[in-house]
Amino acid sequence: MRRVPHENVATVLVDPRALADLELALMPLDLRVWPVRTAPISEDGPRLAFQIRNRLVTAHRGEWDLAADWTPVWIGFGITWHNGDEPLPWQAHKELWRALDSFAAQVRFHRRLGGIRRLPWPEDVYR
């Protein structure tokens, strides 16, 4: 049985005032930021964003309360990090965590990736 195609992403809560700066910092690293609320794969983006934010904030029992109104985003890896069907290289993970650490006051995240349906790319990328 084949696994449904997916994309590895980090789910991150971002202070809305820092979202543009974070996105600009990640672009040169070929890391893509997708706000969950408006991601093209989210059928009910506002509800999904609320659920993700609520689950993450609640799970930290007060430690992440400052992030209660922050923006949940998915951060994915651009094509330069992919090598066919091979797993993402550890260097991709390191670059992502290093970049997020540089925004420590404006982001909350876990150092792990999750899988979501593939986000749009130019058609020939997944061939």
Side-chain angles (χ1 to χ4, degrees):
M1 176 186 235
R2 287 189 57 109
R3 184 176 181 179
V4 175
H6 70 284
E7 183 163 344
N8 290 317
V9 296
T11 301
V12 180
L13 294 178
V14 182
D15 182 335
R17 297 168 296 191
L19 184 56
D21 291 336
L22 176 65
E23 188 168 8
L24 289 173
L26 296 179
M27 278 182 188
L29 302 173
D30 197 19
L31 297 169
R32 304 177 304 140
V33 176
W34 294 91
V36 172
R37 179 182 192 85
T38 58
I41 64 166
S42 296
E43 292 179 23
D44 186 353
R47 172 180 263 169
L48 182 57
F50 170 82
Q51 290 170 338
I52 289 171
R53 181 177 43 249
N54 189 55
R55 182 175 26 109
L56 290 172
V57 170
T58 303
H60 285 273
R61 300 183 185 141
E63 291 177 26
W64 287 13
D65 283 355
L66 78 160
D69 60 349
W70 287 8
T71 304
V73 301
W74 288 314
I75 300 176
F77 298 86
I79 195 63
T80 59
W81 293 111
H82 294 273
N83 183 16
D85 289 336
E86 294 295 316
L88 284 168
W90 283 111
Q91 188 60 36
H93 297 242
K94 288 180 193 175
E95 287 296 324
L96 173 61
W97 308 140
R98 184 193 56 74
L100 290 174
D101 285 342
S102 72
F103 282 83
Q106 295 105 356
V107 300
R108 296 294 180 271
F109 65 97
H110 296 283
R111 290 183 190 280
R112 63 176 171 251
L113 301 177
I116 61 171
R117 287 186 313 175
R118 285 195 170 151
L119 292 158
W121 275 98
E123 288 184 31
D124 60 331
V125 170
Y126 287 125
R127 290 187 191 152

